[in-house]
Amino acid sequence: MIVYRNALIRASVALPVLFLLLSMFRPGNAQDSGKEPIRIIVVPSKQDADAVLERLAKGADFAELAHAKSTDPTAADGGYIGEVRPSVLRPELRAVLSSLPVGELSHPIQIPEGYAILQILEKPPTPGAREADPNSLLPLAARGTVKLSSPVSGYAETFMARRSYLRSRPGWEKDPNAACEARVKGVSEAINRVRAMVEESGNQPDKQTFREYLLGQMLSSEGKMGEAIAAWESAYKKASELHHPVAQELAMALGTAYLHHASLDDRTTVNGVDQSRIFPYMPGALHPRRSDLERAADFFEKALAEDPSNLEAKWLLNVTLMTEGAYPDKVPQQFLIALNKSSSQEHLGRFVDIAPSAGINAATMAGGIIVDDFDNDGLLDIVVSQMNDCDSLLFFHNNGDGTFTDRTKSAGLSEQRGGLNIIQADYNNDGCVDILVLRGGWELPLPLSLLRNNCNGTFTDVTRESGLRERLTATQAAVWTDIDNDGNLDLFVANENSPSQLFLNKGNGTFVDIASQAGVDRTAFSKGVVSADYDGDGYPDLYVSNLGGDNFLYHNNGNRTFTESAQKAHVKEPWRSFAAAFFDYDNDGLPDLFVASYYISTDEFARGYLNLPQNGEGMKMYKNLGNGTFSDVSTQVGLDRAYMPMGLNFGDVDNDGFLDLYLGNGNPSYTAAVPNILLHNKGGKTFVDVTTSSGTGAMEKGHGVAFADFRNSGQEDIAVVMGGAVVGDRHALRLFENPGNGNDWLTVRLVGVKSNRSAIGARIKVTVENGQGGQRSIYRTVGSGGSFGAAPLEQHIGLGSSVKEAAVEIWWPASNSRQKFTRVPVDQAIEIKEFASNYQRLHRKRFNFEPKIETKLESVKAR
């Protein structure tokens, strides 16, 4: 289908379209001398390659031939891949490049996509070095060919429409409403232009097919799935009559559209519990638009008739029939796959989504989440962001009776729009938790926002006066940490293809960017950033995960400078990284590092789920060896597998003292109908998939994740922001209630005095005796969790069973002081202030989420 997509790009010159999802990468600065500017032409056959090579030898322009003939995603850029390190490419390409002189043409090289002709340039064809687009390199990557998800959602098309709209309005970045206007007017105008193009091509069925396909994509993006289906049905009919190969791709689009339409905006609540779209589906759990499901199954079977090896189509066919309640009986035997392949071998109890009965009744696009106590009443509130530039933050106040109240407007947050991620900290040490909103991720540079908590239930935007709005960037990755142990929290922001920023907190409410002199201003397509003192020298270090390139580990030199040490520490992979987290998975007192790989591929997810060979890199668990280096133990602990995590966080769902992982999976395509994953940490030895038995396998796309004890019950629930990258992929927030267990726990709230008030970076050691007298220690470091989603700054610590009392030790970063409290009763919340000789017990009211006594269908309305 690559030929069709390239033809689509060329056919629609009035509205440029990128067929690759998430391929909007902007120029950056190459920093690796091992990278070379490379261009490529890929054609279907050896005969075609020889013909192209002959024309090039006669003086034909490489870029023009690539644009006209190449089936590679780089065709629209004249075959230019970008600056790339040859070592990341497939072995057959790497072997040729190793001996290919600059400027000369390679012989035709056979790869799975056809035959490739390569050329190394002396310098990039345009000024400014451009990093290679990670997505365009997938077919050429060293681990083999990863099959991208079928692009069904119109994200790329509507993004291009918004970008085109803004480019026609110089100075738009100074208008706070411009991004929202582009999302509404820009997309609407583009859809109208494509409608006109369809009408204009009425007597040219081939051209009309292309344009109806494009129209369907854009309509599906806006959630107008019925109209999108009509456009695609018309295009499919023409393509079938013309015996055009695009018919197979349209069959996938139609199957996916009907499946999505079957559940659009509906969820089933039974006694206040959301039972919809939990994998594997319970009979009758989803509102049955049976005719839509039947049509979806029919089109997936049509796609499989053309290509029986299409694992993405097989997965979606099985999911469709499972949704219909017809799995496995009605699945054709040759297409049947085991959706219960990863049935949980362990049972921690059944979590249920009680968001509806708790009053959290909002549907969002992709976004971040913070769970913390914003008004110091001892109850954990929820703040949610979403990437839609027209949608505001959402603030749900915990009422302490099992319900939440939406206080977005009264808190002064209704004008804070957009934001793919948010993180929290008390940056000004006034005792109230503040909020940072990160914007522009995957898309266009936009301002971030620092929202000061006024300690009275409201927030004030202090971005400009704080010095954080010095330039616009596209980012979703940042972390608060005190780099110099002066008691003031600093801010590190890792951007997408622009230099990272390190804002030093001057202690008076303002910041200054010292990234350049600190040595952390590298440029990459950064997607995650986390901090920990990995070598125990008393200063916090920084880790940056990059999508398409080596990751960075910045070692803190203790003098406001850093040394990049990823290769030395053995933590520079995966090459396609996304969310990351520092946490002590094995309780040895050393912060380990977890880094998730990311591929936009339903096929790759299904391969991992079914234990089939995978082409992409798996996730990485790096065990801290205590000597400044790490060891890759991914295989030993069961994590060497490629999921599709866009967000992740960790917590202890069974209070055994070992931290578990929740992965929010998905990609912008509607074909990414895969479950989110809960991985149980078994004693620091291995992680076991407990998704099916726990009931946490929501099939909507997962983003921000937070583990938190909302009920003061000693059990951590899981809050997840669900939703995709387009308006038509909104989904309801999830709040999975922990079923409980008999293990003991302790919640520790730290208050810094010389150290920062949030106590970020402070280390906690809790020593207990379990059962028959065996002593053990559990370790935690204060922070808000992984790199997407923010858990409370207070630390919930599971202790295991039969604990009578505990010894609690605290190390404070700014004062380098220690406190130790013995014979601390467990199953309670305590507060420890730096330098204090006593701890304070926090008297918190416990409560439960009480379900409504009713059974009904609820429609979750978008904000």
Side-chain angles (χ1 to χ4, degrees), residues 12 14-17 154 156-165 181-198 211 214-219 221-222 224:
S12 303
L15 180 65
V17 177
E157 290 83 350
T158 53
F159 170 78
M160 294 298 289
R162 287 186 282 131
R163 188 169 70 172
S164 176
Y165 183 89
E181 181 179 300
R183 187 172 285 276
V184 176
K185 292 185 179 180
V187 173
S188 177
E189 290 176 4
I191 289 175
N192 289 335
R193 288 200 301 273
V194 177
R195 287 188 192 276
M197 291 165 60
V198 171
R211 292 175 176 179
L214 174 59
L215 178 61
Q217 287 279 39
M218 302 191 77
L219 290 168
S221 173
E222 296 302 285
K224 299 176 181 179

mmCIF file of all heavy atoms in Angstrom, residues 12 14-17 154 156-165 181-198 211 214-219 221-222 224:
data_model
loop_
_atom_site.group_PDB
_atom_site.id
_atom_site.type_symbol
_atom_site.label_atom_id
_atom_site.label_comp_id
_atom_site.label_asym_id
_atom_site.label_seq_id
_atom_site.Cartn_x
_atom_site.Cartn_y
_atom_site.Cartn_z
ATOM 1 N N SER A 12 -2.881 15.116 -4.108
ATOM 2 C CA SER A 12 -3.600 16.151 -3.366
ATOM 3 C C SER A 12 -2.695 17.332 -3.065
ATOM 4 O O SER A 12 -2.420 17.658 -1.916
ATOM 5 C CB SER A 12 -4.160 15.563 -2.068
ATOM 6 O OG SER A 12 -4.989 14.471 -2.351
ATOM 7 N N ALA A 14 -3.254 20.393 -3.273
ATOM 8 C CA ALA A 14 -3.920 21.514 -2.606
ATOM 9 C C ALA A 14 -3.885 21.366 -1.093
ATOM 10 O O ALA A 14 -4.010 22.326 -0.363
ATOM 11 C CB ALA A 14 -5.375 21.601 -3.080
ATOM 12 N N LEU A 15 -3.698 20.124 -0.616
ATOM 13 C CA LEU A 15 -3.650 19.873 0.819
ATOM 14 C C LEU A 15 -2.630 18.769 1.065
ATOM 15 O O LEU A 15 -2.961 17.600 1.027
ATOM 16 C CB LEU A 15 -5.026 19.444 1.344
ATOM 17 C CG LEU A 15 -5.097 19.164 2.842
ATOM 18 C CD1 LEU A 15 -4.845 20.449 3.616
ATOM 19 C CD2 LEU A 15 -6.444 18.584 3.210
ATOM 20 N N PRO A 16 -1.345 19.136 1.282
ATOM 21 C CA PRO A 16 -0.325 18.112 1.463
ATOM 22 C C PRO A 16 -0.693 17.160 2.597
ATOM 23 O O PRO A 16 -1.199 17.562 3.634
ATOM 24 C CB PRO A 16 0.927 18.931 1.829
ATOM 25 C CG PRO A 16 0.657 20.294 1.278
ATOM 26 C CD PRO A 16 -0.821 20.494 1.394
ATOM 27 N N VAL A 17 -0.450 15.866 2.382
ATOM 28 C CA VAL A 17 -0.810 14.844 3.352
ATOM 29 C C VAL A 17 0.388 13.946 3.611
ATOM 30 O O VAL A 17 1.027 13.499 2.675
ATOM 31 C CB VAL A 17 -1.980 13.980 2.832
ATOM 32 C CG1 VAL A 17 -2.293 12.883 3.838
ATOM 33 C CG2 VAL A 17 -3.209 14.827 2.615
ATOM 34 N N GLY A 154 -6.942 9.972 10.536
ATOM 35 C CA GLY A 154 -6.809 11.301 9.962
ATOM 36 C C GLY A 154 -5.967 12.248 10.776
ATOM 37 O O GLY A 154 -5.982 13.464 10.537
ATOM 38 N N ALA A 156 -2.631 12.731 10.887
ATOM 39 C CA ALA A 156 -1.622 13.432 10.099
ATOM 40 C C ALA A 156 -2.262 14.459 9.175
ATOM 41 O O ALA A 156 -1.761 15.574 9.013
ATOM 42 C CB ALA A 156 -0.803 12.428 9.290
ATOM 43 N N GLU A 157 -3.395 14.095 8.580
ATOM 44 C CA GLU A 157 -4.060 14.992 7.636
ATOM 45 C C GLU A 157 -4.573 16.255 8.321
ATOM 46 O O GLU A 157 -4.376 17.377 7.828
ATOM 47 C CB GLU A 157 -5.212 14.257 6.949
ATOM 48 C CG GLU A 157 -4.787 13.171 5.982
ATOM 49 C CD GLU A 157 -4.467 11.838 6.634
ATOM 50 O OE1 GLU A 157 -4.380 11.763 7.877
ATOM 51 O OE2 GLU A 157 -4.303 10.849 5.905
ATOM 52 N N THR A 158 -5.215 16.088 9.464
ATOM 53 C CA THR A 158 -5.752 17.269 10.147
ATOM 54 C C THR A 158 -4.636 18.096 10.785
ATOM 55 O O THR A 158 -4.756 19.319 10.893
ATOM 56 C CB THR A 158 -6.787 16.868 11.211
ATOM 57 O OG1 THR A 158 -6.224 15.884 12.092
ATOM 58 C CG2 THR A 158 -8.030 16.300 10.560
ATOM 59 N N PHE A 159 -3.552 17.447 11.184
ATOM 60 C CA PHE A 159 -2.421 18.213 11.694
ATOM 61 C C PHE A 159 -1.859 19.115 10.604
ATOM 62 O O PHE A 159 -1.569 20.290 10.828
ATOM 63 C CB PHE A 159 -1.323 17.294 12.217
ATOM 64 C CG PHE A 159 -0.049 18.039 12.517
ATOM 65 C CD1 PHE A 159 0.068 18.789 13.673
ATOM 66 C CD2 PHE A 159 1.005 18.030 11.627
ATOM 67 C CE1 PHE A 159 1.218 19.509 13.939
ATOM 68 C CE2 PHE A 159 2.171 18.742 11.880
ATOM 69 C CZ PHE A 159 2.277 19.481 13.046
ATOM 70 N N MET A 160 -1.705 18.564 9.413
ATOM 71 C CA MET A 160 -1.180 19.371 8.312
ATOM 72 C C MET A 160 -2.118 20.530 7.994
ATOM 73 O O MET A 160 -1.670 21.636 7.673
ATOM 74 C CB MET A 160 -0.977 18.493 7.080
ATOM 75 C CG MET A 160 0.101 17.430 7.245
ATOM 76 S SD MET A 160 1.736 18.129 7.542
ATOM 77 C CE MET A 160 2.089 18.801 5.922
ATOM 78 N N ALA A 161 -3.417 20.278 8.118
ATOM 79 C CA ALA A 161 -4.379 21.350 7.874
ATOM 80 C C ALA A 161 -4.234 22.461 8.910
ATOM 81 O O ALA A 161 -4.268 23.651 8.585
ATOM 82 C CB ALA A 161 -5.800 20.787 7.909
ATOM 83 N N ARG A 162 -4.046 22.088 10.176
ATOM 84 C CA ARG A 162 -3.871 23.089 11.231
ATOM 85 C C ARG A 162 -2.578 23.865 11.041
ATOM 86 O O ARG A 162 -2.535 25.085 11.207
ATOM 87 C CB ARG A 162 -3.884 22.399 12.598
ATOM 88 C CG ARG A 162 -5.260 21.935 13.031
ATOM 89 C CD ARG A 162 -5.234 21.386 14.441
ATOM 90 N NE ARG A 162 -4.692 20.055 14.509
ATOM 91 C CZ ARG A 162 -3.747 19.664 15.354
ATOM 92 N NH1 ARG A 162 -3.209 20.522 16.182
ATOM 93 N NH2 ARG A 162 -3.324 18.421 15.371
ATOM 94 N N ARG A 163 -1.510 23.153 10.696
ATOM 95 C CA ARG A 163 -0.230 23.824 10.503
ATOM 96 C C ARG A 163 -0.301 24.799 9.327
ATOM 97 O O ARG A 163 0.223 25.919 9.399
ATOM 98 C CB ARG A 163 0.879 22.797 10.275
ATOM 99 C CG ARG A 163 2.255 23.428 10.252
ATOM 100 C CD ARG A 163 3.361 22.411 10.285
ATOM 101 N NE ARG A 163 3.462 21.654 9.050
ATOM 102 C CZ ARG A 163 4.456 20.811 8.776
ATOM 103 N NH1 ARG A 163 5.405 20.600 9.674
ATOM 104 N NH2 ARG A 163 4.489 20.171 7.632
ATOM 105 N N SER A 164 -0.961 24.389 8.245
ATOM 106 C CA SER A 164 -1.105 25.263 7.086
ATOM 107 C C SER A 164 -1.901 26.510 7.446
ATOM 108 O O SER A 164 -1.565 27.630 7.044
ATOM 109 C CB SER A 164 -1.789 24.507 5.944
ATOM 110 O OG SER A 164 -2.011 25.346 4.846
ATOM 111 N N TYR A 165 -2.949 26.341 8.239
ATOM 112 C CA TYR A 165 -3.797 27.458 8.672
ATOM 113 C C TYR A 165 -2.974 28.462 9.484
ATOM 114 O O TYR A 165 -3.058 29.678 9.275
ATOM 115 C CB TYR A 165 -4.954 26.916 9.497
ATOM 116 C CG TYR A 165 -5.952 27.961 9.948
ATOM 117 C CD1 TYR A 165 -7.048 28.290 9.160
ATOM 118 C CD2 TYR A 165 -5.810 28.605 11.182
ATOM 119 C CE1 TYR A 165 -7.976 29.242 9.583
ATOM 120 C CE2 TYR A 165 -6.720 29.552 11.611
ATOM 121 C CZ TYR A 165 -7.802 29.872 10.802
ATOM 122 O OH TYR A 165 -8.715 30.805 11.225
ATOM 123 N N GLU A 181 -8.262 27.995 17.340
ATOM 124 C CA GLU A 181 -8.912 28.428 16.103
ATOM 125 C C GLU A 181 -8.469 27.550 14.935
ATOM 126 O O GLU A 181 -9.284 27.164 14.090
ATOM 127 C CB GLU A 181 -8.560 29.883 15.832
ATOM 128 C CG GLU A 181 -9.212 30.452 14.575
ATOM 129 C CD GLU A 181 -8.849 31.902 14.352
ATOM 130 O OE1 GLU A 181 -9.168 32.714 15.241
ATOM 131 O OE2 GLU A 181 -8.239 32.214 13.303
ATOM 132 N N ALA A 182 -7.191 27.208 14.897
ATOM 133 C CA ALA A 182 -6.688 26.344 13.826
ATOM 134 C C ALA A 182 -7.308 24.968 13.902
ATOM 135 O O ALA A 182 -7.615 24.348 12.879
ATOM 136 C CB ALA A 182 -5.172 26.240 13.907
ATOM 137 N N ARG A 183 -7.504 24.469 15.132
ATOM 138 C CA ARG A 183 -8.095 23.139 15.286
ATOM 139 C C ARG A 183 -9.542 23.127 14.822
ATOM 140 O O ARG A 183 -10.032 22.111 14.319
ATOM 141 C CB ARG A 183 -8.001 22.677 16.750
ATOM 142 C CG ARG A 183 -8.434 21.250 16.971
ATOM 143 C CD ARG A 183 -8.158 20.777 18.374
ATOM 144 N NE ARG A 183 -6.760 20.499 18.625
ATOM 145 C CZ ARG A 183 -6.150 19.358 18.332
ATOM 146 N NH1 ARG A 183 -6.832 18.386 17.739
ATOM 147 N NH2 ARG A 183 -4.888 19.174 18.608
ATOM 148 N N VAL A 184 -10.235 24.242 14.969
ATOM 149 C CA VAL A 184 -11.646 24.294 14.570
ATOM 150 C C VAL A 184 -11.786 24.771 13.126
ATOM 151 O O VAL A 184 -12.266 24.052 12.251
ATOM 152 C CB VAL A 184 -12.437 25.214 15.519
ATOM 153 C CG1 VAL A 184 -13.886 25.338 15.043
ATOM 154 C CG2 VAL A 184 -12.393 24.673 16.945
ATOM 155 N N LYS A 185 -11.319 26.005 12.854
ATOM 156 C CA LYS A 185 -11.523 26.589 11.528
ATOM 157 C C LYS A 185 -10.611 25.964 10.480
ATOM 158 O O LYS A 185 -11.038 25.709 9.351
ATOM 159 C CB LYS A 185 -11.301 28.095 11.578
ATOM 160 C CG LYS A 185 -12.356 28.857 12.365
ATOM 161 C CD LYS A 185 -12.122 30.366 12.264
ATOM 162 C CE LYS A 185 -13.190 31.142 13.019
ATOM 163 N NZ LYS A 185 -12.964 32.608 12.921
ATOM 164 N N GLY A 186 -9.345 25.750 10.849
ATOM 165 C CA GLY A 186 -8.407 25.200 9.891
ATOM 166 C C GLY A 186 -8.829 23.841 9.380
ATOM 167 O O GLY A 186 -8.795 23.561 8.172
ATOM 168 N N VAL A 187 -9.270 22.981 10.282
ATOM 169 C CA VAL A 187 -9.698 21.640 9.880
ATOM 170 C C VAL A 187 -11.009 21.704 9.112
ATOM 171 O O VAL A 187 -11.192 21.020 8.094
ATOM 172 C CB VAL A 187 -9.817 20.729 11.116
ATOM 173 C CG1 VAL A 187 -10.418 19.380 10.723
ATOM 174 C CG2 VAL A 187 -8.456 20.534 11.767
ATOM 175 N N SER A 188 -11.932 22.540 9.568
ATOM 176 C CA SER A 188 -13.217 22.672 8.878
ATOM 177 C C SER A 188 -13.026 23.155 7.436
ATOM 178 O O SER A 188 -13.645 22.624 6.496
ATOM 179 C CB SER A 188 -14.120 23.639 9.644
ATOM 180 O OG SER A 188 -15.333 23.838 8.959
ATOM 181 N N GLU A 189 -12.177 24.164 7.261
ATOM 182 C CA GLU A 189 -11.928 24.677 5.920
ATOM 183 C C GLU A 189 -11.273 23.616 5.040
ATOM 184 O O GLU A 189 -11.595 23.488 3.848
ATOM 185 C CB GLU A 189 -11.041 25.918 5.997
ATOM 186 C CG GLU A 189 -11.741 27.133 6.592
ATOM 187 C CD GLU A 189 -10.816 28.323 6.751
ATOM 188 O OE1 GLU A 189 -9.629 28.219 6.317
ATOM 189 O OE2 GLU A 189 -11.247 29.359 7.297
ATOM 190 N N ALA A 190 -10.361 22.843 5.619
ATOM 191 C CA ALA A 190 -9.692 21.799 4.843
ATOM 192 C C ALA A 190 -10.682 20.723 4.408
ATOM 193 O O ALA A 190 -10.629 20.235 3.267
ATOM 194 C CB ALA A 190 -8.567 21.185 5.666
ATOM 195 N N ILE A 191 -11.584 20.356 5.302
ATOM 196 C CA ILE A 191 -12.588 19.352 4.948
ATOM 197 C C ILE A 191 -13.466 19.862 3.814
ATOM 198 O O ILE A 191 -13.779 19.121 2.857
ATOM 199 C CB ILE A 191 -13.441 18.980 6.182
ATOM 200 C CG1 ILE A 191 -12.601 18.168 7.174
ATOM 201 C CG2 ILE A 191 -14.686 18.202 5.778
ATOM 202 C CD1 ILE A 191 -13.307 17.860 8.477
ATOM 203 N N ASN A 192 -13.838 21.116 3.887
ATOM 204 C CA ASN A 192 -14.661 21.680 2.810
ATOM 205 C C ASN A 192 -13.905 21.690 1.482
ATOM 206 O O ASN A 192 -14.508 21.449 0.422
ATOM 207 C CB ASN A 192 -15.105 23.096 3.181
ATOM 208 C CG ASN A 192 -16.140 23.098 4.297
ATOM 209 O OD1 ASN A 192 -16.852 22.116 4.493
ATOM 210 N ND2 ASN A 192 -16.212 24.194 5.037
ATOM 211 N N ARG A 193 -12.608 21.969 1.515
ATOM 212 C CA ARG A 193 -11.821 21.947 0.276
ATOM 213 C C ARG A 193 -11.775 20.543 -0.313
ATOM 214 O O ARG A 193 -11.892 20.362 -1.528
ATOM 215 C CB ARG A 193 -10.392 22.445 0.538
ATOM 216 C CG ARG A 193 -10.282 23.944 0.786
ATOM 217 C CD ARG A 193 -8.873 24.448 0.553
ATOM 218 N NE ARG A 193 -7.893 23.794 1.400
ATOM 219 C CZ ARG A 193 -7.570 24.189 2.628
ATOM 220 N NH1 ARG A 193 -8.190 25.247 3.149
ATOM 221 N NH2 ARG A 193 -6.660 23.564 3.321
ATOM 222 N N VAL A 194 -11.614 19.556 0.548
ATOM 223 C CA VAL A 194 -11.558 18.181 0.045
ATOM 224 C C VAL A 194 -12.927 17.750 -0.490
ATOM 225 O O VAL A 194 -13.015 17.040 -1.502
ATOM 226 C CB VAL A 194 -11.071 17.221 1.144
ATOM 227 C CG1 VAL A 194 -11.079 15.785 0.649
ATOM 228 C CG2 VAL A 194 -9.663 17.601 1.580
ATOM 229 N N ARG A 195 -14.010 18.183 0.158
ATOM 230 C CA ARG A 195 -15.349 17.882 -0.373
ATOM 231 C C ARG A 195 -15.493 18.433 -1.791
ATOM 232 O O ARG A 195 -16.021 17.762 -2.694
ATOM 233 C CB ARG A 195 -16.429 18.499 0.517
ATOM 234 C CG ARG A 195 -16.641 17.820 1.863
ATOM 235 C CD ARG A 195 -17.872 18.419 2.538
ATOM 236 N NE ARG A 195 -18.008 18.039 3.914
ATOM 237 C CZ ARG A 195 -18.577 16.914 4.341
ATOM 238 N NH1 ARG A 195 -19.042 16.051 3.439
ATOM 239 N NH2 ARG A 195 -18.678 16.655 5.629
ATOM 240 N N ALA A 196 -14.992 19.656 -1.982
ATOM 241 C CA ALA A 196 -15.074 20.263 -3.317
ATOM 242 C C ALA A 196 -14.228 19.483 -4.314
ATOM 243 O O ALA A 196 -14.624 19.303 -5.475
ATOM 244 C CB ALA A 196 -14.606 21.718 -3.246
ATOM 245 N N MET A 197 -13.068 19.019 -3.872
ATOM 246 C CA MET A 197 -12.217 18.224 -4.746
ATOM 247 C C MET A 197 -12.897 16.928 -5.160
ATOM 248 O O MET A 197 -12.761 16.464 -6.296
ATOM 249 C CB MET A 197 -10.890 17.926 -4.051
ATOM 250 C CG MET A 197 -9.993 19.147 -3.864
ATOM 251 S SD MET A 197 -8.649 18.853 -2.676
ATOM 252 C CE MET A 197 -7.789 17.500 -3.460
ATOM 253 N N VAL A 198 -13.636 16.330 -4.227
ATOM 254 C CA VAL A 198 -14.372 15.102 -4.553
ATOM 255 C C VAL A 198 -15.409 15.383 -5.631
ATOM 256 O O VAL A 198 -15.550 14.630 -6.607
ATOM 257 C CB VAL A 198 -15.047 14.521 -3.289
ATOM 258 C CG1 VAL A 198 -15.997 13.375 -3.663
ATOM 259 C CG2 VAL A 198 -14.004 14.029 -2.286
ATOM 260 N N ARG A 211 -9.515 10.897 -3.348
ATOM 261 C CA ARG A 211 -10.018 12.049 -2.603
ATOM 262 C C ARG A 211 -11.078 11.645 -1.587
ATOM 263 O O ARG A 211 -11.172 12.244 -0.514
ATOM 264 C CB ARG A 211 -10.544 13.093 -3.587
ATOM 265 C CG ARG A 211 -9.398 13.702 -4.403
ATOM 266 C CD ARG A 211 -9.853 14.651 -5.488
ATOM 267 N NE ARG A 211 -8.699 15.257 -6.160
ATOM 268 C CZ ARG A 211 -8.790 16.124 -7.167
ATOM 269 N NH1 ARG A 211 -9.980 16.488 -7.605
ATOM 270 N NH2 ARG A 211 -7.699 16.619 -7.723
ATOM 271 N N LEU A 214 -9.182 10.416 1.380
ATOM 272 C CA LEU A 214 -8.706 11.550 2.158
ATOM 273 C C LEU A 214 -9.839 12.188 2.948
ATOM 274 O O LEU A 214 -9.690 12.515 4.138
ATOM 275 C CB LEU A 214 -8.062 12.574 1.227
ATOM 276 C CG LEU A 214 -7.626 13.905 1.858
ATOM 277 C CD1 LEU A 214 -6.619 13.663 2.977
ATOM 278 C CD2 LEU A 214 -7.019 14.815 0.799
ATOM 279 N N LEU A 215 -10.984 12.361 2.331
ATOM 280 C CA LEU A 215 -12.133 12.950 3.015
ATOM 281 C C LEU A 215 -12.545 12.090 4.206
ATOM 282 O O LEU A 215 -12.822 12.609 5.299
ATOM 283 C CB LEU A 215 -13.304 13.102 2.041
ATOM 284 C CG LEU A 215 -14.602 13.669 2.627
ATOM 285 C CD1 LEU A 215 -14.378 15.076 3.185
ATOM 286 C CD2 LEU A 215 -15.710 13.686 1.569
ATOM 287 N N GLY A 216 -12.571 10.777 4.011
ATOM 288 C CA GLY A 216 -12.922 9.884 5.117
ATOM 289 C C GLY A 216 -11.953 9.997 6.278
ATOM 290 O O GLY A 216 -12.363 9.980 7.446
ATOM 291 N N GLN A 217 -10.671 10.126 5.959
ATOM 292 C CA GLN A 217 -9.681 10.277 7.023
ATOM 293 C C GLN A 217 -9.973 11.521 7.862
ATOM 294 O O GLN A 217 -9.976 11.477 9.098
ATOM 295 C CB GLN A 217 -8.273 10.381 6.419
ATOM 296 C CG GLN A 217 -7.723 9.078 5.876
ATOM 297 C CD GLN A 217 -7.135 8.206 6.986
ATOM 298 O OE1 GLN A 217 -7.667 8.117 8.085
ATOM 299 N NE2 GLN A 217 -6.041 7.537 6.682
ATOM 300 N N MET A 218 -10.211 12.635 7.202
ATOM 301 C CA MET A 218 -10.405 13.885 7.932
ATOM 302 C C MET A 218 -11.711 13.883 8.713
ATOM 303 O O MET A 218 -11.779 14.394 9.835
ATOM 304 C CB MET A 218 -10.339 15.058 6.961
ATOM 305 C CG MET A 218 -9.020 15.115 6.202
ATOM 306 S SD MET A 218 -8.775 16.633 5.284
ATOM 307 C CE MET A 218 -8.323 17.751 6.589
ATOM 308 N N LEU A 219 -12.745 13.295 8.150
ATOM 309 C CA LEU A 219 -14.015 13.207 8.867
ATOM 310 C C LEU A 219 -13.886 12.294 10.087
ATOM 311 O O LEU A 219 -14.434 12.585 11.152
ATOM 312 C CB LEU A 219 -15.111 12.697 7.931
ATOM 313 C CG LEU A 219 -15.554 13.672 6.833
ATOM 314 C CD1 LEU A 219 -16.417 12.946 5.803
ATOM 315 C CD2 LEU A 219 -16.315 14.845 7.432
ATOM 316 N N SER A 221 -11.269 11.813 11.837
ATOM 317 C CA SER A 221 -10.516 12.542 12.843
ATOM 318 C C SER A 221 -11.421 13.398 13.709
ATOM 319 O O SER A 221 -11.219 13.514 14.922
ATOM 320 C CB SER A 221 -9.469 13.428 12.165
ATOM 321 O OG SER A 221 -8.829 14.267 13.102
ATOM 322 N N GLU A 222 -12.425 13.984 13.102
ATOM 323 C CA GLU A 222 -13.341 14.870 13.827
ATOM 324 C C GLU A 222 -14.480 14.124 14.513
ATOM 325 O O GLU A 222 -15.392 14.738 15.066
ATOM 326 C CB GLU A 222 -13.903 15.907 12.859
ATOM 327 C CG GLU A 222 -12.848 16.845 12.290
ATOM 328 C CD GLU A 222 -12.119 17.589 13.395
ATOM 329 O OE1 GLU A 222 -12.693 18.519 13.964
ATOM 330 O OE2 GLU A 222 -10.960 17.213 13.706
ATOM 331 N N LYS A 224 -16.720 12.308 13.054
ATOM 332 C CA LYS A 224 -17.881 12.161 12.171
ATOM 333 C C LYS A 224 -17.782 10.820 11.463
ATOM 334 O O LYS A 224 -17.615 10.732 10.245
ATOM 335 C CB LYS A 224 -17.927 13.324 11.187
ATOM 336 C CG LYS A 224 -18.053 14.677 11.882
ATOM 337 C CD LYS A 224 -18.011 15.839 10.890
ATOM 338 C CE LYS A 224 -18.108 17.187 11.613
ATOM 339 N NZ LYS A 224 -18.057 18.336 10.681
#
